[in-house]
Amino acid sequence: MASPLGGNWLALSHGSNSKKRDDFVRVRKSDLEKLTTEIMQLRDFLPRVLKGDLIETLHEARTAQTVKKQLAQEQEQLRQECLHLQSRLDTVQTECQKEREEKLLLREQLWRSGAELQQQADFCSDLGSAACSLLWSCSSSEDIVSRWLTDAKLQSFLQVAVQTLESFVRSLDEDAKTQTEDHNKEHQFVLALAGTITNVAAVAGGRDFLSCLARDLLDSLMKLLELMTPGVFPKLKVLMLMALYNVSINVKGLKCISENPGLLSLIWTLLDDDDWEVCLHSLRLLQSVLLEEEVLVLLGSSLLDPELQARVTRLTSSERPSLRLAAQHTLEDLLALQQRSHSKHVRSKP
């Protein structure tokens, strides 16, 4: 067999005993030198060609191996965190379910408690309404009121009564204030309280007691009348006005009421109320004021205000006979007061 090398043919000798010893190839020395030269050149140039790419490849391989190892570690860490979070999630879901069941149980208990509380409130309202209605009926007897005054227990009752009235009036929401009448037990309860106070004030001893020892009650009644808007709960307004009027029959009581700075502004407001009975009892309270000379001196020129006279004049045209008559009498008293005031001014001139 022969192969080309360096443009010459080299003979490849095979002898009969070639299998007994190594094979040899006959190569010219010049060709061997060329081959050696080429090999040396390859050894010299091949690393230069492959070195940059190989080093970069090796670097990338090592980097990839490092990244792979880091990713494996991060993956394992994430897997552990995921297992931890899953465990926490299971725990939280279990607690949430438990809290949901407890909340449902508490809601049911709250509903039952609310129902029981409403039943108790209804019972208390029924009991208070019945008891105070009975008390109101009993207070119509002068002997019973006198006995109350003798027992010296009336003061505590009046304190509770005025606190209840204040709580009732101040708790009215806007919807309730638009109503003209309310027939529930709570309203009957406060009506009975106000009616009892009115009956106490109808007795001479009761008037003395209220004038001397219950001035806060009288101020509270006027304050509550001021808070209640026109046309709202007229029966309650009428009872409170009747109580103030009964107290005004007593000279001390009238002075006590007149010392309240909001008396006249309250009367002015109530004279424009939508209920005719409220207007009627406001006129009667105004008449009591006009009949006492000391009170006239105390109130001064505020009673001569033209607006007050105008409001009373409008009521003289009412279709209600009792209201019309009371307005006419009050107007006469106002005109007489105006005439007396004018005569004093005339005599005081030099």
Side-chain angles (χ1 to χ4, degrees):
M1 178 178 173
S3 62
L5 182 62
N8 297 320
W9 290 95
L10 297 177
L12 183 63
S13 116
H14 298 279
S16 59
N17 57 350
S18 61
K19 295 182 178 179
K20 298 180 180 179
R21 53 190 178 86
D22 294 337
D23 294 338
F24 294 92
V25 179
R26 291 179 180 180
V27 181
R28 291 178 182 178
K29 186 178 181 179
S30 59
D31 293 337
L32 182 59
E33 292 175 352
K34 289 180 180 181
L35 181 60
T36 301
T37 302
E38 291 178 358
I39 289 174
M40 295 298 292
Q41 289 177 349
L42 286 175
R43 286 180 176 178
D44 187 29
F45 288 108
L46 187 59
R48 297 179 182 179
V49 175
L50 298 179
K51 184 176 182 181
D53 295 338
L54 181 61
I55 292 175
E56 184 178 356
T57 302
L58 291 174
H59 179 70
E60 291 178 354
R62 291 175 181 174
T63 303
Q65 187 68 22
T66 304
V67 172
K68 181 180 179 182
K69 185 177 181 181
Q70 292 177 350
L71 289 176
Q73 293 176 351
E74 292 177 358
Q75 185 177 8
E76 178 63 21
Q77 184 178 358
L78 290 175
R79 189 179 71 83
Q80 294 296 331
E81 292 180 356
C82 182
L83 292 175
H84 178 66
L85 291 176
Q86 182 65 40
S87 176
R88 290 183 59 187
L89 177 61
D90 295 339
T91 304
V92 170
Q93 286 180 339
T94 303
E95 293 178 354
C96 183
Q97 180 64 27
K98 184 179 179 180
E99 290 179 357
R100 185 181 292 111
E101 293 175 357
E102 292 177 353
K103 184 178 180 181
L104 291 175
L105 180 61
L106 290 174
R107 182 176 296 177
E108 182 179 359
Q109 293 176 352
L110 179 62
W111 181 83
R112 291 180 180 177
S113 299
E116 293 176 358
L117 183 62
Q118 184 61 44
Q119 291 178 355
Q120 293 177 0
D122 293 340
F123 173 77
C124 291
S125 295
D126 293 342
L127 179 61
S129 176
C132 287
S133 296
L134 182 62
L135 192 63
W136 187 6
S137 177
C138 292
S139 65
S140 61
S141 171
E142 184 175 350
D143 293 337
I144 292 179
V145 174
S146 299
R147 184 176 301 175
W148 289 350
L149 294 170
T150 304
D151 293 340
K153 296 181 179 180
L154 188 59
Q155 179 107 20
S156 58
F157 166 77
L158 293 177
Q159 291 177 351
V160 174
V162 72
Q163 290 175 1
T164 304
L165 290 173
E166 288 179 352
S167 176
F168 174 77
V169 172
R170 295 181 186 278
S171 65
L172 296 177
D173 55 21
E174 293 301 325
D175 294 335
K177 287 183 178 180
T178 60
Q179 302 175 8
T180 57
E181 196 60 66
D182 186 8
H183 298 285
N184 61 28
K185 295 296 183 180
E186 185 180 12
H187 191 208
Q188 295 300 321
F189 179 34
V190 296
L191 281 178
L193 287 175
T196 303
I197 295 174
T198 300
N199 286 346
V200 170
V203 178
R207 288 192 289 271
D208 290 334
F209 177 84
L210 293 176
S211 301
C212 299
L213 301 177
R215 293 194 174 193
D216 292 340
L217 182 143
L218 301 177
D219 291 335
S220 296
L221 291 180
M222 286 186 278
K223 182 62 177 179
L224 295 178
L225 285 169
E226 182 181 350
L227 291 175
M228 299 177 70
T229 55
V232 176
F233 300 120
K235 288 184 178 180
L236 182 58
K237 287 182 179 180
V238 168
L239 287 173
M240 289 192 289
L241 282 170
M242 289 175 65
L244 292 174
Y245 173 76
N246 287 343
V247 173
S248 71
I249 297 175
N250 184 289
V251 177
K252 292 182 179 179
L254 180 59
K255 290 181 179 179
C256 178
I257 294 174
S258 301
E259 289 174 356
N260 189 304
L263 174 63
L264 283 183
S265 61
L266 173 64
I267 293 176
W268 287 16
T269 301
L270 294 178
L271 287 176
D272 282 341
D273 197 272
D274 299 334
D275 187 83
W276 70 272
E277 286 188 281
V278 174
C279 297
L280 173 62
H281 290 282
S282 299
L283 285 174
R284 289 178 176 174
L285 182 58
L286 179 58
Q287 281 182 303
S288 291
V289 173
L290 293 173
L291 292 176
E292 181 59 39
E293 189 67 29
E294 294 185 17
V295 175
L296 295 178
V297 175
L298 178 64
L299 296 178
S301 60
S302 55
L303 290 170
L304 301 176
D305 193 301
E307 178 62 25
L308 177 61
Q309 184 175 334
R311 296 191 182 195
V312 175
T313 301
R314 285 195 296 268
L315 294 177
T316 58
S317 302
S318 173
E319 297 178 355
R320 300 282 182 174
S322 57
L323 178 59
R324 183 171 61 250
L325 182 61
Q328 291 173 352
H329 290 165
T330 306
L331 182 60
E332 292 175 359
D333 293 337
L334 286 173
L335 293 175
L337 175 63
Q338 184 177 7
Q339 183 64 32
R340 291 198 303 272
S341 176
H342 179 70
S343 300
K344 290 181 180 179
H345 284 297
V346 172
R347 286 197 301 269
S348 63
K349 292 182 180 180

